[in-house]
Amino acid sequence: MSKEQFLWGSATAAYQCEGAWNEDNKGASVWDDFCHSDANTTGITGDVSCDFYHHYAEDIRLMAEGGQNTFRFSISWSRIVPKEDHAVNEAGLAFYDRVLDECEKYGIVPNVTLVHYDLPDYIGRKGGWCYDGVSDEFAYYTSVVFRHFGNRIPLYVTINEPNHNAYCNYCVGNYPPNEKNNLQDYAHCAYNMMVCNAKAIREFRRLNLAGSQIGIVQGCGPATALKDTPEYLEAVKFCNYFCNFCFLDPAIRGYYEPDLIEAVRSRGIDLSFVKQEDLDIMKDNTVDFLGQNIYSRLLVKPNESGVTAFTVNNAGNNDGTGKTARETRAISGWFETDRDPSTKLNHWGREIYPRCAYDTLMLRKERYGDIPIYVTENGHGCYDVADENGYVEDDERIEFLENYLHYILKAKEDGVNVKGYYVWSTMDLYSWINGYKKRYGLVRVDYDDENLRRIPKKSYYWYKNFIEEHKDI
Ligand code: BG6
């Protein structure tokens, strides 16, 4: 991978696109279990999705034809180590070898996430991310991946959005194991994720893979507020402890700030799961780069309601009509979500605020210096309307991407070490609890067609042109 080449691409995740959920000896993941259970009230699953497992060659060819030089995807842990016995599934490795062959054919740089929400079911049954053995399991699985693929993969990511994953699992309760308002388990999960991150990095460093780097992907930006009174700044601080610093400080700096530990303890959270030996491993095993997903702003104010409550853009009675849509994140005494009446919301209640891209990147630089940053996801979910040929004129998505990119490139000009950018998503795929109606792809997937026909959207061509105009930045 040329150091100077800016990476322009798009992103997917295994459960959301692969399908083939039980093919070629794949084990079940917690998402397979959840989607097949009564807890999944929609009945919608990722069993087939857009069937990337069988369409990968076409999808990667379309990326290349669209001028993209990088592809972010994730490996399904359950394909590689399907069962508790730790036997490695050669067919799983072979699938990703085929994907990498295809990337190499077109000079597309793979950016590969080791876990994107889909823990194996056997770990889920033991307590998932709150199972204290999860970090040794993750170290084992990731060492299998590092040994097999080595520096064929120049960019590895340990965990996708630990913040959002922990939040949905244990606060909102919309992701398995579907626990609500459980701050004790949220803290435990967040900590175990950072032990996982550090132990995987230790395995990675042991192999000394020349030319490969390893990072982590964060799902939200730094908290911000509409006022800078001491009360508002306190709310920002606590929200950052909760959503950002408890992940990024150990991952990037190798330690937690004592104030953060104290704040968590003073809420009555039992921190007996913290072990000195884990902290030592974190100290010695930090990331090479940060992947930053950018969707919306984390706008907060002091929590005056005294309420602790959490909803996201796909929870409860929110059906994408925009009528009842609202995202809430509130911890009594700490902070709660604020709303800026001057900005628009998308159909799922998420704020559209392009400038957050600039603020996020600048604030990351302020705290973490010149760390290389890849914008690992940026995209717009909407109801696409196709014409009789399946073509979608997604001007709304183009406007979204154009406006966000303006601020991302401005942050790069202003000194942030931005190395690449990925549209979420490469093609239409499963959108977790939102199912298939909420689409993000640059390429439409016709789910009614038995061959799951791919039709590039207007945004695909727009992006191709944008890359062409910005390839030498
Ligand atoms: C990110 C995730 O949080 O947002 C993706 O990494 C996800 O997996 C994307 O699909 C969009 O969120 P949603 O819930 O609208 O699909």
Side-chain angles (χ1 to χ4, degrees):
M1 183 174 97
S2 145
K3 280 211 173 70
E4 303 311 321
Q5 184 188 27
F6 190 84
L7 296 184
W8 288 108
S10 56
T12 62
Y15 184 76
Q16 293 180 272
C17 72
E18 286 180 2
W21 76 277
N22 58 0
E23 250 181 85
D24 294 336
N25 313 319
K26 177 181 170 293
S29 74
V30 293
W31 272 88
D32 293 307
D33 283 359
F34 166 67
C35 284
H36 295 157
S37 76
D38 293 342
N40 174 13
T41 50
T42 66
I44 299 169
T45 74
D47 288 0
V48 179
S49 185
C50 56
D51 197 19
F52 176 75
Y53 196 76
H54 299 105
H55 289 254
Y56 65 92
E58 181 184 0
D59 290 327
I60 295 168
R61 175 178 56 74
L62 281 172
M63 266 179 248
E65 288 172 5
Q68 299 173 41
N69 62 7
T70 183
F71 176 32
R72 175 172 180 237
F73 62 94
S74 79
I75 292 182
S76 157
W77 182 345
S78 313
R79 270 193 210 288
I80 307 299
V81 188
K83 297 201 196 109
E84 213 171 340
D85 64 8
H86 287 167
V88 173
N89 177 23
E90 294 300 327
L93 293 171
F95 167 62
Y96 296 106
D97 271 325
R98 294 197 292 279
V99 171
L100 292 173
D101 288 345
E102 221 50 37
C103 288
E104 281 162 18
K105 183 161 134 192
Y106 299 107
I108 287 182
V109 175
N111 180 336
V112 177
T113 300
L114 294 155
V115 64
H116 193 124
Y117 304 168
D118 51 352
L119 283 180
D121 64 345
Y122 55 88
I123 294 178
R125 282 196 296 274
K126 289 182 173 168
W129 290 109
C130 288
Y131 163 52
D132 288 332
V134 67
S135 57
D136 288 330
E137 293 278 358
F138 191 60
Y140 170 74
Y141 150 64
T142 56
S143 75
V144 169
V145 171
F146 299 142
R147 278 170 217 280
H148 181 82
F149 299 108
N151 56 8
R152 272 193 97 179
I153 297 176
L155 297 168
Y156 285 98
V157 163
T158 53
I159 306 176
N160 179 69
E161 298 190 339
N163 67 305
H164 191 66
N165 197 352
Y167 181 65
C168 290
N169 289 7
Y170 297 107
C171 294
V172 182
N174 58 337
Y175 290 8
N178 308 98
E179 288 180 26
K180 289 190 202 313
N181 289 12
N182 190 338
L183 292 179
Q184 175 66 42
D185 280 357
Y186 175 85
H188 195 175
C189 166
Y191 173 81
N192 279 356
M193 285 171 151
M194 291 307 100
V195 184
C196 285
N197 176 69
K199 286 191 179 172
I201 294 175
R202 184 171 63 176
E203 295 302 319
F204 175 82
R205 304 264 181 248
R206 279 179 178 150
L207 294 178
N208 235 328
L209 300 174
S212 283
Q213 296 195 327
I214 191 157
I216 193 162
V217 164
Q218 173 71 352
C220 63
T224 54
L226 295 173
K227 297 182 190 167
D228 61 0
T229 64
E231 294 77 17
Y232 272 71
L233 294 178
E234 276 287 291
V236 165
K237 179 183 85 179
F238 283 124
C239 185
N240 277 330
Y241 283 171
F242 181 67
C243 301
N244 280 296
F245 301 163
C246 68
F247 302 98
L248 294 183
D249 282 2
I252 298 174
R253 294 172 158 177
Y255 61 89
Y256 297 98
E257 284 193 340
D259 283 358
L260 182 154
I261 300 282
E262 209 27 61
V264 174
R265 193 172 277 132
S266 69
R267 287 207 73 87
I269 290 174
D270 173 5
L271 292 179
S272 55
F273 50 76
V274 176
K275 306 268 180 307
Q276 188 56 46
E277 61 185 276
D278 296 337
L279 299 179
D280 292 343
I281 298 171
M282 286 184 203
K283 185 164 131 300
D284 295 335
N285 295 282
T286 54
V287 294
D288 298 316
F289 67 86
L290 170 64
Q292 178 67 58
N293 293 349
I294 300 180
Y295 289 96
S296 60
R297 179 165 52 160
L298 197 50
L299 194 64
V300 294
K301 62 182 180 183
N303 185 315
E304 284 157 4
S305 59
V307 166
T308 296
F310 310 99
T311 58
V312 290
N313 66 350
N314 51 19
N317 59 0
N318 180 349
D319 60 0
T321 59
K323 291 194 190 108
T324 53
R326 183 70 206 271
E327 292 196 315
T328 319
R329 196 183 299 248
I331 300 187
S332 68
W334 275 15
F335 64 88
E336 66 183 59
T337 310
D338 202 0
R339 170 80 187 106
D340 179 349
S342 71
T343 59
K344 282 199 294 190
L345 302 180
N346 75 8
H347 295 296
W348 284 264
R350 185 169 274 185
E351 188 188 39
I352 300 175
Y353 185 68
R355 204 199 139 93
C356 76
Y358 182 78
D359 297 338
T360 291
L361 295 169
M362 296 304 281
L363 287 167
R364 291 294 183 232
K365 181 179 164 70
E366 190 179 300
R367 189 168 181 90
Y368 300 115
D370 278 335
I371 185 165
I373 301 182
Y374 295 85
V375 176
T376 32
E377 288 180 32
N378 175 227
H380 182 54
C382 53
Y383 292 111
D384 286 338
V385 182
D387 69 14
E388 65 280 11
N389 300 314
Y391 183 65
V392 179
E393 298 217 20
D394 51 345
D395 294 304
E396 193 179 305
R397 178 169 295 111
I398 292 171
E399 184 187 342
F400 179 100
L401 295 174
E402 198 160 40
N403 290 340
Y404 276 70
L405 271 163
H406 165 80
Y407 283 110
I408 290 165
L409 294 181
K410 182 168 155 53
K412 180 169 161 45
E413 269 165 39
D414 289 352
V416 182
N417 193 7
V418 186
K419 304 278 233 185
Y421 171 86
Y422 297 79
V423 172
W424 182 269
S425 52
T426 306
M427 63 288 188
D428 290 337
L429 37 68
Y430 173 71
S431 167
W432 305 112
I433 309 296
N434 296 299
Y436 294 97
K437 286 191 180 151
K438 185 182 192 182
R439 294 176 184 252
Y440 281 91
L442 292 168
V443 173
R444 179 174 177 83
V445 174
D446 182 353
Y447 294 113
D448 296 329
D449 175 66
E450 61 177 342
N451 295 317
L452 294 165
R453 190 161 67 106
R454 272 59 172 160
I455 310 117
K457 301 178 192 175
K458 188 172 175 183
S459 58
Y460 167 94
Y461 298 104
W462 168 83
Y463 189 41
K464 178 179 182 173
N465 194 43
F466 190 93
I467 294 171
E468 183 58 34
E469 285 171 358
H470 295 84
K471 65 172 189 257
D472 297 323
I473 62 169

